Amino acid sequence: MRTELRVAAYAVCVRDGAILLARWVAPHGVRQWTLPGGGLEHGEDPVETVVREVEEETGYAAEPTTLLGIDSIRRTWPRRLGAVGDWQGLRIVYEARITGGELRAESNGSTDLAAWHPLDTVPGLDRLPLVDAGLRLWRDRPPLGRSPFADPANG
């Protein structure tokens, strides 16, 4: 079995009843909205990661204000010769406020658009489950930083 762990940091930025999202482009071309953020570089602090990623994906300078929690997901898939791949993602979720910059799309990255979406329109968006997980953490602020509705096996 091949195992892989990915640690990433994401921001929930809500202002004037709208949330800032970035549109992720899958390798096969499907586009879905997600929280701005991404993987930690080796030796990088998660707060530095979320600040860097928000700027890269949206053009905004962001200041993390609260650690909301950690969303953990796990996926397995069949590999060649009967082997199994086992991937786990630890997603550190911060509340952040925008402190400067201008909204723009990322160039040459994993996202192609950034936009503010009214909170009441989020259920109608084609989005990754991370958006819902981040909004649950933002709304509920669970003491252990984990939504009581989270499925530990699948996030």
Side-chain angles (χ1 to χ4, degrees):
M1 178 180 296
R2 178 179 172 209
T3 61
E4 182 181 348
L5 175 66
R6 180 176 189 264
V7 181
Y10 294 89
V12 175
C13 301
V14 175
R15 138 176 122 184
D16 301 326
I19 185 169
L20 179 63
L21 298 176
R23 193 170 65 181
W24 177 70
V25 182
H28 56 280
V30 171
R31 290 169 165 78
Q32 293 179 293
W33 292 101
T34 189
L35 297 176
L40 273 70
E41 295 176 1
H42 183 76
E44 187 176 34
D45 181 87
V47 169
E48 294 170 1
T49 299
V50 76
V51 169
R52 174 180 55 79
E53 288 283 347
V54 169
E55 195 282 326
E56 287 176 5
E57 294 181 353
T58 71
Y60 285 127
E63 177 187 7
T65 57
T66 304
L67 173 63
L68 295 174
I70 298 177
D71 183 58
S72 178
I73 61 171
R74 188 172 179 189
R75 304 281 188 260
T76 58
W77 67 95
R79 294 177 46 88
R80 293 185 311 186
L81 305 174
V84 174
D86 188 351
W87 178 88
Q88 181 179 7
L90 291 178
R91 302 177 305 188
I92 303 164
V93 182
Y94 294 94
E95 179 176 28
R97 66 183 187 91
I98 301 305
T99 60
E102 290 186 26
L103 184 64
R104 61 149 175 77
E106 181 177 26
S107 59
N108 299 320
S110 60
T111 65
D112 71 346
L113 188 62
W116 291 94
H117 295 274
L119 288 168
D120 62 356
T121 67
V122 171
L125 296 175
D126 188 5
R127 66 196 183 283
L128 293 174
L130 176 59
V131 173
D132 297 326
L135 280 172
R136 269 195 313 273
L137 289 169
W138 177 75
R139 285 183 178 122
D140 299 344
R141 301 187 185 258
L144 295 180
R146 179 172 173 268
S147 173
F149 302 108
D151 176 352
N154 292 311

